[in-house]
Amino acid sequence: MRAFAETWSDFEFVQQAVGQLPWGHNVLIITRLKSADERLFYVQKALSEHWSRTTLEVQIKNNLHHRQGKAVTNFNQRLPDIYSTLAQETLKDPYLFDFLGLGEDAQEREIEDALVRHVTRFLLELGSGFAYIGRQYRLEVNGDEFFIDLLFYHTRLKSYVVVELKATAFKPEHAGQLNFYLAAVDAQLKADDDNPTIGLLLCRTQNRLVAEYALSGIDKPIGVAEYELVRHLPENLQSSLPTVGQLEAELGDFELGD
C-alpha cells in the first residue's frame, strides 16, 4: 500500500484511472515498471481494452509500450487526421509470433497456417478491435482470381484490414500488390459507412527508409512492420548461453561416457 501511494502520489485516489484497476493489476504495474510514462500507458490500455491481469502481464512482458504505433505507414497522407492517428496506434512494430513455435526458416504458408491455428493468441497480438474474417480470402476481378492471405475487420476503425505475410525482407513491389488488394476490397466488400480499407504488410525484415519511399507513392493506406518468430535474447544473456557446437560436444562426451 505504501508503494502504491508513493507511485501515484500526484493523483487523486479512485477518481483517477489507477483507482479503477483491480489491486492485482496495480501490483503488476508498480513492481514491473519503473517509468511513470510506461505505468500510465498500461493503466490506460488496461482500462480502455478491459485487460485481464494475465493479458496485462503478457503485454508488459512483450514490451507493448515500445512497439505500439511504430509501424511505417502513409496514414497521415491517405487518411483524415483524426482517423489516421487511431489507425497508426492500432499497428505496432515488430509483431511477436514466438507463440507459434516455428523456426526462423519458416515459409509464408507455414506461418499463415500456424497463425490461424493460434488465432486467439494472434488476435491478442494484433490488439483490441480486430475481428477475424478468413484466410486466403478469394477475390474475383473480371474473371481473374486473387487470394488475400488474411482478412480482418476492425470494429473501432470501422474498416477492413488486409494482412499480407512475406517470409522475406520488404520489397517495394509488395506495396503495389497490397495496394491492388485494397482497391478490390474497397470496391467489392466495403459498405458505404465503412472507412477506407487498410493494408498491413508483415515482413521478416524491413529497411524503414525504403518502406517510406515505397509507401509515399501508394494511393491506399498501408503499414509495414516486421515480425519475429523467435524472441531474441538480450546480448548479456546470449553470451552466457552455450553454443550449438558446445552442446553437441557435451552430448558426445556424455554418450562416450555411457
Side-chain angles (χ1 to χ4, degrees):
M1 292 298 295
R2 183 173 64 186
F4 181 90
E6 290 172 349
T7 299
W8 305 113
S9 58
D10 295 333
F11 290 80
E12 298 178 17
F13 290 105
V14 179
Q15 294 178 354
Q16 297 294 334
V18 294
Q20 300 171 34
L21 285 176
W23 180 244
H25 287 59
N26 273 298
V27 170
L28 264 180
I29 290 169
I30 292 170
T31 57
R32 299 288 182 86
L33 303 166
K34 304 303 181 185
S35 160
D37 288 342
E38 285 187 309
R39 286 170 174 164
L40 277 176
F41 171 85
Y42 287 103
V43 165
Q44 292 164 354
K45 295 291 287 185
L47 284 173
S48 65
E49 301 190 10
H50 309 288
W51 284 349
S52 66
R53 187 177 184 276
T54 300
T55 301
L56 172 62
E57 187 170 18
V58 168
Q59 299 294 12
I60 292 174
K61 177 185 175 183
N62 289 346
N63 206 21
L64 179 65
H65 180 255
H66 295 287
R67 298 186 295 126
Q68 191 85 48
K70 303 302 183 183
V72 176
T73 75
N74 60 358
F75 293 165
N76 60 340
Q77 292 94 26
R78 300 293 177 260
L79 296 171
D81 289 344
I82 190 170
Y83 181 55
S84 68
T85 301
L86 177 58
Q88 182 71 45
E89 289 302 308
T90 299
L91 305 187
K92 60 191 70 165
D93 186 34
Y95 285 83
L96 304 179
F97 295 158
D98 54 320
F99 58 86
L100 299 179
L102 299 176
E104 292 280 15
D105 58 347
Q107 299 302 304
E108 291 172 19
R109 186 53 60 90
E110 292 179 83
I111 299 168
E112 184 183 318
D113 289 343
L115 287 173
V116 173
R117 287 198 306 271
H118 299 277
V119 68
T120 301
R121 291 287 302 274
F122 184 27
L123 288 170
L124 177 61
E125 176 61 11
L126 286 176
S128 177
F130 281 89
Y132 174 67
I133 294 179
R135 59 172 295 194
Q136 291 300 307
Y137 192 92
R138 177 181 174 275
L139 295 172
E140 182 178 336
V141 180
N142 197 28
D144 290 336
E145 288 185 323
F146 301 90
F147 296 90
I148 293 171
D149 284 348
L150 297 160
L151 182 63
F152 297 85
Y153 187 85
H154 198 281
T155 56
R156 292 178 62 196
L157 295 173
K158 285 190 63 64
S159 68
Y160 285 97
V161 180
V162 175
V163 177
E164 283 291 298
L165 283 165
K166 301 297 179 185
T168 61
F170 170 78
K171 298 178 181 178
E173 53 263 36
H174 295 159
Q177 178 190 31
L178 184 51
N179 191 62
F180 168 77
Y181 290 157
L182 298 182
V185 171
D186 277 343
Q188 299 183 16
L189 301 180
K190 176 180 171 294
D192 291 340
D193 59 343
D194 284 336
N195 286 310
T197 304
I198 290 172
L200 172 59
L201 268 170
L202 293 175
C203 303
R204 189 65 57 88
T205 60
Q206 65 159 315
N207 181 314
R208 293 183 69 89
L209 185 57
V210 171
E212 289 173 5
Y213 283 178
L215 296 186
S216 66
I218 293 293
D219 294 334
K220 299 294 183 181
I222 292 176
V224 180
E226 296 181 356
Y227 61 86
E228 294 181 4
L229 293 174
V230 178
R231 190 74 63 90
H232 298 293
L233 292 173
E235 290 184 7
N236 61 327
L237 288 180
Q238 288 179 353
S239 61
S240 65
L241 294 176
T243 65
V244 173
Q246 290 171 330
L247 288 173
E248 290 175 342
E250 290 287 341
L251 288 172
D253 292 341
F254 176 77
E255 290 173 356
L256 289 173
D258 284 350

